[in-house]
């Protein structure tokens, strides 16, 4: 096992794999198995998204017989996709169950996302989240819910019902504040209704690399402040962690913690570098701190594993500099809130498009 990955884990950053396919779940699969990455790469969780499942199902022959069988039994296309993805997530949950138990329920988690077409629909998000939670029925499951305006009340409702949630597509500190508030409010609602809050788990997926991609393009187009390129994403994420720390030190959180509540850990997502000029490990090794998660594609995981880097806590000493970077961006015409709104719209679209493609692929296989 890599010393780099071991050091990252020992400093409090859980390593999750941002990928899942049936090839990882069967012995003869073409991809490295989940068992192998768990044993060799310090991986203690898995995240999925619509794009991942679209690629997995569209490119693999391992789903064909299940698609045809479900279709001939009378299932519609949406139901077939739900059955396929739920089956893979259920199997992954079982693979991680011993890790889940060893970590006291903190890790060993597997995420599945609600239909991305529901990103602006609170009611449908809640209904599908409940259905997924009930059908998969694993304690180490996380339901992914987008951090849209419409997603915030869904998060609060689901947490109040005892459903563990992975809040996704967060791009700004201000939206992250609202996400954390929705989580705490859901816990408070649950306590007020006489239920326990222990055992409920949540992470907040703060997207990283896409922030640099968007802001770098704007800086290059305007021809200003080239020194700020490649700086925004880390600064933005570090300021989110600063808010997380402030919440864990608040009286509000201490009261919930007294009743057994678990903190909603920040999760660094979109950690694969999009610009070849940058260190492929930067969104991992520069975001190491206690009570965090980093979910990474396998290529990034391997780059980090083989980097030989000296790993240290790399967030809390950078709060002042991070504020300075965000302020300098504003002085050069880059509004981080407007950037976040743009990225949220694009993020939803980037999940809807592959999902629609998946529907088309499954339809063709089913009717073949």
């Amino acid at each position: 096992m890599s010393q780099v990955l071991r050091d990252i884990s020992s400093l409090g950053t859980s390593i999750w794999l941002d990928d899942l396919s049936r090839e990882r779940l069967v012995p003869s699969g073409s991809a490295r198995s989940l068992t192998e990455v768990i044993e060799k790469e310090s991986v203690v969780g898995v995240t999925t998204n619509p794009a991942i499942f679209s690629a997995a199902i569209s490119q693999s022959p391992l789903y064909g017989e299940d698609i045809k069988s479900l279709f001939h039994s009378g299932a519609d296309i949406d139901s077939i996709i739900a059955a396929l993805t739920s089956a893979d997530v259920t199997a992954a949950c079982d693979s991680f169950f011993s890790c889940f138990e060893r970590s006291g329920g903190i890790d060993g988690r597997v995420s599945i996302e609600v239909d991305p077409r529901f990103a602006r629909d609170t009611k449908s998000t809640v209904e599908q989240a409940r259905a997924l939670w009930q059908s998969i029925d694993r304690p180490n499951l996380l339901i992914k819910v987008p951090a849209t305006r419409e997603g915030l009340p869904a998060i609060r409702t689901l947490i109040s019902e005892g459903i563990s949630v992975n809040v996704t597509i967060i791009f700004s500190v201000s939206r992250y504040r609202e996400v954390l508030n929705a989580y705490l409010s859901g816990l408070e609602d649950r306590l007020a209704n006489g239920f326990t809050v222990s055992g409920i788990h949540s992470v907040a997926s703060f997207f990283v690399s896409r922030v640099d991609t968007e802001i770098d393009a704007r800086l290059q187009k305007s021809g200003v402040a080239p020194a700020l390129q490649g700086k925004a994403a880390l600064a933005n994420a570090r300021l989110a962690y600063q808010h997380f720390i402030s919440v864990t030190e608040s009286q509000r959180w201490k009261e919930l913690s007294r009743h057994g509540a678990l903190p909603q850990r920040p999760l660094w997502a979109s950690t694969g570098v999009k610009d070849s000029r940058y260190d492929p490990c930067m969104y991992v090794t520069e975001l190491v701190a206690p009570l965090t998660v980093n979910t990474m594609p396998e290529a990034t995981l391997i780059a980090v594993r083989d980097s030989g880097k000296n790993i240290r806590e790399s967030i809390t000493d950078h709060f002042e500099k991070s504020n300075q970077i965000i302020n300098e961006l504003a002085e050069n015409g880059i509004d981080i809130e407007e950037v976040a709104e743009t990225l949220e719209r694009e993020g939803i679209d980037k999940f809807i498009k592959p999902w629609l493609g998946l529907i088309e692929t499954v339809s063709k296989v089913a009717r073949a």
Side-chain angles (χ1 to χ4, degrees):
M1 189 177 294
S2 163
Q3 186 62 46
V4 176
L5 298 179
R6 187 182 296 114
D7 289 346
I8 290 170
S9 301
S10 67
L11 287 168
T13 298
S14 296
I15 296 171
W16 292 5
L17 180 68
D18 191 28
D19 186 41
L20 182 64
S21 66
R22 195 152 291 183
E23 268 77 5
R24 293 194 184 278
L25 298 167
V26 298
S28 59
S30 58
R32 285 206 300 169
S33 70
L34 273 187
T35 300
E36 182 178 351
V37 295
I38 290 169
E39 292 176 351
K40 296 183 178 180
E41 313 291 11
S42 300
V43 170
V44 291
V46 158
T47 53
T48 68
N49 61 47
I52 286 172
F53 272 130
S54 178
I57 296 172
S58 300
Q59 298 170 14
S60 171
L62 297 178
Y63 297 91
E65 291 305 315
D66 283 353
I67 292 172
K68 293 172 185 176
S69 176
L70 288 162
F71 182 70
H72 287 304
S73 71
D76 61 26
I77 300 304
D78 284 344
S79 299
I80 292 172
I81 292 173
L84 297 176
T85 56
S86 295
D88 284 2
V89 167
T90 301
C93 283
D94 292 343
S95 295
F96 277 102
F97 191 71
S98 60
C99 173
F100 171 76
E101 289 188 311
R102 286 196 307 272
S103 67
I106 300 301
D107 287 311
R109 297 279 176 171
V110 183
S111 299
I112 187 170
E113 190 156 346
V114 297
D115 190 320
R117 294 171 294 178
F118 298 155
R120 304 292 184 188
D121 184 338
T122 304
K123 182 173 181 290
S124 295
T125 293
V126 170
E127 289 175 351
Q128 190 179 51
R130 288 169 177 158
L132 289 169
W133 183 256
Q134 185 173 27
S135 65
I136 295 175
D137 192 25
R138 295 295 189 275
N140 51 335
L141 177 68
L142 291 173
I143 306 295
K144 291 182 83 171
V145 175
T148 56
R149 290 286 180 196
E150 298 81 2
L152 294 171
I155 294 160
R156 179 172 181 170
T157 296
L158 294 170
I159 292 298
S160 74
E161 295 177 2
I163 296 174
S164 294
V165 173
N166 177 344
V167 185
T168 188
I169 58 170
I170 307 170
F171 294 99
S172 72
V173 178
S174 61
R175 182 55 58 85
Y176 175 58
R177 291 192 186 102
E178 295 178 288
V179 167
L180 256 176
N181 182 63
Y183 175 63
L184 299 184
S185 297
L187 294 174
E188 289 163 344
D189 292 345
R190 188 164 175 80
L191 281 175
N193 290 325
F195 296 104
T196 181
V197 294
S198 62
I200 300 172
H201 189 74
S202 184
V203 293
S205 294
F206 202 90
F207 280 45
V208 187
S209 66
R210 294 186 194 180
V211 174
D212 272 343
T213 300
E214 177 68 20
I215 290 179
D216 284 1
R218 296 185 183 201
L219 291 171
Q220 290 167 6
K221 184 177 181 180
S222 63
V224 301
L228 290 176
Q229 292 182 33
K231 302 290 179 61
L234 290 175
N236 199 37
R238 285 164 171 164
L239 293 178
Y241 187 77
Q242 184 180 39
H243 177 65
F244 167 73
I245 293 299
S246 71
V247 168
T248 61
E249 294 173 349
S250 68
Q251 191 57 44
R252 183 185 185 190
W253 171 250
K254 289 176 182 177
E255 179 63 20
L256 286 166
S257 179
R258 190 174 66 83
H259 286 89
L262 296 168
Q264 183 189 58
R265 290 186 293 169
L267 179 151
W268 313 125
S270 184
T271 56
V273 171
K274 308 290 192 294
D275 191 323
S276 60
R277 295 176 299 167
Y278 300 150
D279 178 353
C281 307
M282 64 183 285
Y283 300 127
V284 179
T285 58
E286 294 302 317
L287 291 172
V288 176
L291 293 173
T292 60
V293 179
N294 196 304
T295 183
M296 57 193 91
E298 189 168 22
T300 302
L301 177 67
I302 292 171
V304 173
R305 180 196 69 190
D306 296 341
S307 68
K309 289 180 178 290
N310 181 28
I311 303 301
R312 82 285 185 218
E313 198 275 348
S314 51
I315 296 183
T316 55
D317 287 342
H318 299 275
F319 292 152
E320 184 177 349
K321 180 62 175 177
S322 297
N323 270 304
Q324 181 183 335
I325 289 169
I326 298 302
N327 290 336
E328 288 180 11
L329 286 167
E331 291 167 2
N332 285 279
I334 305 293
D335 180 353
I336 195 71
E337 296 301 326
E338 187 274 324
V339 168
E341 290 175 7
T342 298
L343 290 173
E344 181 182 285
R345 290 193 301 271
E346 292 178 354
I348 293 169
D349 190 49
K350 285 178 179 177
F351 284 159
I352 290 176
K353 283 184 177 179
W355 199 251
L356 295 176
L358 176 59
I359 290 171
E360 182 179 357
T361 297
V362 172
S363 297
K364 288 179 180 178
V365 174
R367 295 186 172 94

